[in-house]
Amino acid sequence: MTALTPYLHLPGTTREALTFYGEVFGAEVHLHTLAEFGRTDGPADAIAHGYLSGGPVTLFASDATGGEPSLRCEGLMLSLLGTAAPSTLRTWFSALSEGGRVVDDLQKRPWGDFDGQVVDRYGLHWLIGFQGDATESSD
């Protein structure tokens, strides 16, 4: 691994969340349960370790167990600025918005670039944007 990868501790929603992110980003989802890891500090079917691979976004996650705190995201955004074609970034913004909350619409800014923010249904805050002109906004 050569890049920073967020590792999320979720409140029993890891299977659902990683499946969602896998669909949004076209990544393969890998899930390993507590039972598979021989752990007894939570439900056997809870996720001890899961991750995305083969897509443009890498995330690790597990279900919070044994009194571990679960994700609470404040003062942090995951940035997807210029990481894909404008049409793809618009698709991701729309998909992450479903069941979440748009903080700031994806729109052209006074400096000429496009960006927007969304908090998805699992509490992750995303900053999505791209450089371009008005002709790219219809992608």
Side-chain angles (χ1 to χ4, degrees), residues 91-106:
T91 298
W92 292 348
F93 187 90
S94 178
L96 292 167
S97 299
E98 293 175 17
R101 176 177 57 87
V102 173
V103 175
D104 192 15
D105 286 323
L106 182 57

Side-chain angles (χ1 to χ4, degrees), residues 47-130:
I47 303 302
H49 178 64
Y51 61 97
L52 301 180
S53 69
V57 170
T58 304
L59 290 174
F60 293 145
S62 65
D63 289 326
T65 59
E68 292 176 321
S70 61
L71 176 72
R72 203 174 118 215
C73 191
E74 294 180 356
L76 171 76
M77 288 187 285
L78 301 177
S79 171
L80 295 172
L81 296 173
T83 56
S87 60
T88 299
L89 289 161
R90 288 180 181 283
T91 298
W92 292 348
F93 187 90
S94 178
L96 292 167
S97 299
E98 293 175 17
R101 176 177 57 87
V102 173
V103 175
D104 192 15
D105 286 323
L106 182 57
Q107 59 190 295
K108 188 170 186 174
R109 302 300 177 177
W111 54 90
D113 295 342
F114 293 77
D115 70 33
Q117 298 177 37
V118 61
V119 175
D120 70 34
R121 64 181 83 168
Y122 301 101
L124 292 183
H125 191 158
W126 299 88
L127 172 63
I128 297 176
F130 55 90

Side-chain angles (χ1 to χ4, degrees), residues 9-25:
H9 287 156
L10 299 171
T13 58
T14 298
R15 181 182 308 275
E16 180 184 314
L18 284 180
T19 299
F20 171 73
Y21 295 131
E23 290 170 1
V24 169
F25 299 115

